[in-house]
Amino acid sequence: VDPSSSKSYTNYHKLSEVASLMRNCYISGHTVVKVKSGTYSDSAYFSNINGLSSNSTLTIDGGSSSSTKIIGSKNVMLGFEEASYITVKNLYIENNNTTTTTKVALTFTGNITDITVDSCSIKAPVNSNNYYVYDLSFANIFKGGQGVVNNVTVSNTKFSGGYMGVYFPGDY
């Protein structure tokens, strides 16, 4: 993702364009989406990516969380649904939405497995009484609580703001 270069089949200007493409493609092999340093204001929601497996993974790499930033005011800034074998690393992700009830910087929903979040800085608006303001959410709320979550690793990642830094509900 590099908005300063021409669009092509190997370069896009927004992560949302990559997410849209992946809804219509099949991943075969390890795939790395490199995000060029800069500040991006669009949100991206990846869902039902075909072909992901232990031999066919998706990595979204910003290079450095101090210079590659996704900042905006949508309900979710970066989201993945029914996704497995995904790594998100070296990104600063901030949701500064103050107008809607749901404010999540990074979320994974539905059936998810083998997820890694590494060397990121994740921020949501400061809110003392809203249960839907999270920095990082592993939630099955969009699937009626029916999803399965396995093998999640979060390392070297800073959380700030939000009602909760990490929301990871279990059976109750």
Side-chain angles (χ1 to χ4, degrees), residues 71-105:
I71 302 173
S73 60
K74 303 290 185 183
N75 287 355
V76 173
M77 288 310 300
L78 184 57
F80 297 87
E81 182 178 359
E82 298 294 331
S84 296
Y85 304 99
I86 292 179
T87 297
V88 175
K89 66 182 188 176
N90 302 315
L91 286 170
Y92 175 91
I93 306 165
E94 179 180 347
N95 188 334
N96 56 22
N97 183 344
T98 59
T99 60
T100 65
T101 303
T102 303
K103 304 160 187 83
V104 181

Side-chain angles (χ1 to χ4, degrees), residues 16-28:
S16 58
E17 295 169 341
V18 176
S20 178
L21 171 74
M22 289 192 174
R23 280 190 283 278
N24 300 308
C25 292
Y26 186 89
I27 304 293
S28 61

Side-chain angles (χ1 to χ4, degrees), residues 1-5 11-17 34-44 61-62 64 67-73 77 91-94 96:
V1 177
D2 181 355
S4 65
S5 295
N11 183 59
Y12 297 87
H13 289 172
K14 301 176 181 181
L15 267 176
S16 58
E17 295 169 341
K34 293 182 180 180
V35 184
K36 185 176 181 183
S37 294
T39 301
Y40 300 83
S41 60
D42 71 316
S43 62
D61 186 354
S64 169
S67 61
T68 308
K69 302 175 181 186
I70 300 170
I71 302 173
S73 60
M77 288 310 300
L91 286 170
Y92 175 91
I93 306 165
E94 179 180 347
N96 56 22

Side-chain angles (χ1 to χ4, degrees), residues 22 26-33 46 49-61 80 83-89 113-116:
M22 289 192 174
Y26 186 89
I27 304 293
S28 61
H30 300 297
T31 302
V32 178
V33 176
F46 293 79
I49 302 170
N50 293 309
L52 290 174
S53 69
S54 60
N55 294 317
S56 190
T57 62
L58 173 63
T59 299
I60 298 180
D61 186 354
F80 297 87
S84 296
Y85 304 99
I86 292 179
T87 297
V88 175
K89 66 182 188 176
T113 186
D114 296 285
I115 301 296
T116 300

